[in-house]
Amino acid sequence: MFIQVQCDNYKIICVITLTQAGHDLGNHSENHKNMSQLSDEECQEELMKVHTKVQELTGYEMCLFRPPYGDYDNHVITNAHKCGYYPIQWSIDSLDWKDYGVDDIVKRVVESDKLNNGAIVLMHNGAKYTADALESVITGLQDKGYELVPISQLIYKDKYHMKADGTQVSGQ
């Protein structure tokens, strides 16, 4: 789960609760900008502002970064690594942000031709129908024999490169 932390008590409690429940927290940047269009300094600032807030509020040391809009290039990856982050992408986009409805989200994820071991599903916590679709997505995936695990258990952390579609490939 990726949350852009803002300093109000409700979000602080949610972030602490999520970490205590074993979920990964990931950085999604301070201002949701196209990271590939930023300078090195701006890119790192976008990451570290959020990182510092989360660390000060919760003590949690984030290491996962999903660039806004899936916008990344070698420049973004290099700057993420300089800040101690593993950039990640997704393999299945629920398109929940388009507000097509609960059934569309469930079908798009559970019947995706990209569904396989290690698939990463993109869903947004603020989209209109996501909360209502979530239980059906989870049970639909479990009914197909999939186990939901934190992203940190899925990604390569050493000796990998990213393909143009955002998937990791083991080795150099």
Side-chain angles (χ1 to χ4, degrees):
M1 172 167 285
F2 292 87
I3 297 174
Q4 184 172 345
V5 176
Q6 297 170 349
C7 294
D8 63 50
N9 289 337
Y10 175 73
K11 288 187 179 171
I12 293 168
I13 291 168
C14 287
V15 169
I16 292 170
T17 302
L18 288 169
T19 59
Q20 289 174 342
H23 295 280
D24 289 331
L25 293 183
N27 197 325
H28 194 48
S29 80
E30 176 74 4
N31 296 300
H32 209 264
K33 295 180 177 181
N34 287 80
M35 301 295 281
S36 67
Q37 306 304 309
L38 304 178
S39 69
D40 288 347
E41 183 180 329
E42 292 169 320
C43 196
Q44 291 175 32
E45 187 175 302
E46 281 290 311
L47 285 166
M48 295 314 293
K49 278 187 175 181
V50 175
H51 184 90
T52 301
K53 284 180 189 176
V54 171
Q55 190 174 35
E56 287 174 354
L57 296 171
T58 68
Y60 186 85
E61 190 78 28
M62 293 187 297
C63 67
L64 302 171
F65 170 60
R66 185 178 69 77
Y69 315 106
D71 174 42
Y72 79 97
D73 57 13
N74 287 339
H75 157 77
V76 174
I77 292 170
T78 298
N79 280 292
H81 286 155
K82 284 181 182 177
C83 292
Y85 279 92
Y86 299 102
I88 61 163
Q89 291 289 56
W90 60 88
S91 53
I92 301 172
D93 188 349
S94 68
L95 297 182
D96 58 346
W97 55 275
K98 289 192 172 189
D99 296 337
Y100 292 147
V102 170
D103 292 338
D104 185 81
I105 294 169
V106 174
K107 181 179 178 182
R108 204 171 285 280
V109 173
V110 176
E111 297 179 18
S112 174
D113 60 350
K114 296 180 181 176
L115 185 60
N116 57 36
N117 289 330
I120 297 174
V121 178
L122 174 65
M123 298 179 87
H124 297 80
N125 60 324
K128 185 175 181 179
Y129 298 105
T130 304
D132 293 332
L134 194 55
E135 184 176 347
S136 294
V137 167
I138 291 170
T139 57
L141 293 172
Q142 290 171 331
D143 289 348
K144 288 187 168 210
Y146 292 101
E147 175 186 5
L148 280 65
V149 299
I151 290 175
S152 60
Q153 292 181 21
L154 294 177
I155 64 169
Y156 296 116
K157 294 182 179 172
D158 294 308
K159 297 181 182 172
Y160 72 91
H161 66 274
M162 290 177 70
K163 295 185 348 185
D165 67 1
T167 57
Q168 290 183 317
V169 178
S170 180
Q172 291 289 25

